[in-house]
Every structure is written in C-alpha cells, then in structure tokens.
Amino acid sequence: MRRKLVAGNWKMHGSRDSVRELMEGILAGLDETGDVEIAVFPPYPYLPLVQSLAMGSGIEWGGQTLNPNPKGAFTGEVSATMLSDFDCRYVLVGHSERRAQFGENSVAVAARFEAAQAGGLVPVLCVGETLAEREAGDTEAVVGAQLDAVLQRCGVAAFNSAVIAYEPVWAIGTGRTATPEQAQQVHAAIRDKLAVLDGTIAGQIRILYGGSVKASNAADLFARDDIDGGLVGGASLDAAEFLGICRGAL
Ligand code: PGA
C-alpha cells in the first residue's frame, strides 16, 4: 500500500509573516489529515523558519531545485548538502517552470536527480507535456523521454528512493485540471514503463498529479489507482484549501 503524499510547491511566494501564518494554519488542521504525508516546498530563505515550525510535526519540507554540483563557484545556487543541512527530506527536480525558464533540459534534470540522492535527499521528479505535445498525441512519448534521461543516468534502482510528479504543463496555474481519467492514463503508463524494468519499484513508487489541484477536485483525482497524491501550487498557499486537498487523499 502506497502512502499518499500531498506536497505544496510555494514557488516564489510568501514573506516571513505569511509563511508563519500558513504553517501555523496547516499545523492547526493536521489532526484531520490522518495518515496522509504532507510536504511543503518554500523558497530557500524560509527553509529555516519552516524547519523550526514543522520539526516534530510529521510535516516534511524540501527545496524547489538544487545545483547538481556539491560546492563551488556557482553564484546564486544551492547544493543538496545545504538543503540536507536544514533537514530537507525532498527536493523538486525538473519542474516545468525550471525546464522552460531556466534551461534545465532532461540531461540537466537527471544530473540534479543524481545529486539530490548523493546529498541524502529524495528527488521529486516532475514530468509533463505541453498542450501542443498533447494535441499531437505525444504525451506518453514526451513523458517517457523525460523518464528515460534519468533512467539512463541513474538506473531504475534509483527510483527506490524517489517520487514522480506528473504535471501536464497546460494544467499548471491555468485552472484547467486534467480529468481524473487523463491523469490516471499517464500515471499508469509511467508505472508500466518502470514495471518493465523492475516490478517491485514500479509497485511502490508514488506518482503524484500536479496541475490546478484544488480541494474540490482532489478526492476524485486521488481515488484513481495510480494517483498517489498531488503536487499543489496556487492552492497550497491557503491553509484551509491545502488542508482540504490533504483530506481528499484520506
Ligand atoms: P498549480 O501548480 O497547482 O498552481 O497548477 C502546480 C505546480 O506547478 O506544481
């Protein structure tokens, strides 16, 4: 049985005051979220604040990206060990905004995935197609190629300690959620692809759905066989809405 995971990707939002308020709101509603695992991904400067507020609560936290190098002259960048230093458990790799706006191609994403694990973090590998790719019937080929880049560099065994997030680019921040059927189809394709290489890993890896998840659509999505939770952007910035999504995973 895979434990459901609901993760909040705060992107470049928040302030010291709003982060405190959001965390306190989430913590106040934790007793209604049962066995659902919850993780938050704040901007880097707020990691110590989140760490101090969430420590011991069962909530996990992580970085939104990382540099693949362990250290060095990389102005503005952050390494896996720095994130581990603040007790991060997870780190997002290959979010579509990183791929589209910061030049992270699949090779660069695979290097980050590898560096995350080397630094003691669990990578959350984000994959997904654009609207044009979906309309051309290329969804599974695009997602498959994004997975292949990591498989080639790290091998299937690396997926023993990883999470995958399927996030169709056309659904992110648009209010246009994939239907549960559309999402389930891609999630099953991802799991089938891994099963060809290792059935045990395919059976245990968690595959999250991301893209305009809200409290009102979460339960329908999370009820599908291969959807093990969500990666939530906009709706994770409101404690009540985020808690509603977490309860959708019960
Ligand atoms: P959204 O973002 O929930 O605002 O669509 C999801 C994401 O980018 O992870």
Side-chain angles (χ1 to χ4, degrees):
M1 190 61 186
R2 297 182 294 267
R3 185 180 176 203
K4 290 274 202 290
L5 169 60
V6 176
N9 172 12
W10 296 353
K11 308 192 182 186
M12 199 172 74
H13 292 291
S15 64
R16 253 200 306 203
D17 286 348
S18 75
V19 164
R20 178 178 291 278
E21 195 183 325
L22 178 54
M23 282 306 298
E24 286 173 351
I26 297 170
L27 289 163
L30 264 194
D31 54 348
E32 290 161 27
T33 59
D35 187 42
V36 177
E37 185 180 356
I38 298 173
V40 295
F41 293 84
Y44 292 142
Y46 303 124
L47 280 171
L49 177 57
V50 167
Q51 177 192 33
S52 70
L53 293 169
M55 186 70 85
S57 69
I59 294 182
E60 302 285 354
W61 55 95
Q64 296 175 11
T65 183
L66 77 166
N67 187 277
N69 296 285
K71 62 179 178 179
F74 302 104
T75 301
E77 295 291 278
V78 166
S79 72
T81 47
M82 291 171 185
L83 294 174
S84 290
D85 224 4
F86 287 90
D87 295 314
C88 288
R89 173 161 173 76
Y90 295 105
V91 63
L92 304 181
V93 297
H95 189 279
S96 63
E97 287 152 17
R98 301 294 314 174
R99 292 181 192 259
Q101 299 175 48
F102 301 94
E104 291 184 19
N105 60 23
S106 282
V107 172
V109 171
R112 283 163 172 74
F113 184 105
E114 185 176 51
Q117 291 189 331
L121 301 167
V122 176
V124 179
L125 172 64
C126 304
V127 297
E129 83 288 0
T130 63
L131 187 57
E133 288 162 344
R134 172 162 284 265
E135 286 174 346
D138 290 339
T139 298
E140 285 175 25
V142 168
V143 169
Q146 291 169 339
L147 282 173
D148 278 336
V150 177
L151 285 166
Q152 274 158 24
R153 182 168 183 128
C154 306
V156 69
F159 284 84
N160 252 320
S161 179
V163 174
I164 296 172
Y166 168 59
E167 299 204 302
V169 178
W170 48 272
I172 294 178
T174 59
R176 189 178 162 192
T177 319
T179 64
E181 294 73 25
Q182 283 174 322
Q184 165 59 26
Q185 192 178 358
V186 181
H187 283 231
I190 292 170
R191 206 178 296 286
D192 288 350
K193 184 176 172 68
L194 293 173
V196 172
L197 301 168
D198 190 309
T200 307
I201 289 174
Q204 60 86 23
I205 195 163
R206 292 181 291 183
I207 308 176
L208 313 183
Y209 167 78
S212 298
V213 177
K214 307 184 270 277
S216 59
N217 60 26
D220 273 354
L221 286 158
F222 302 163
R224 301 294 153 141
D225 284 355
D226 291 294
I227 304 183
D228 305 310
L231 180 55
V232 186
S236 72
L237 297 169
D238 181 287
E241 184 74 12
F242 186 62
L243 286 164
I245 294 169
C246 296
R247 290 194 300 273
L250 283 171

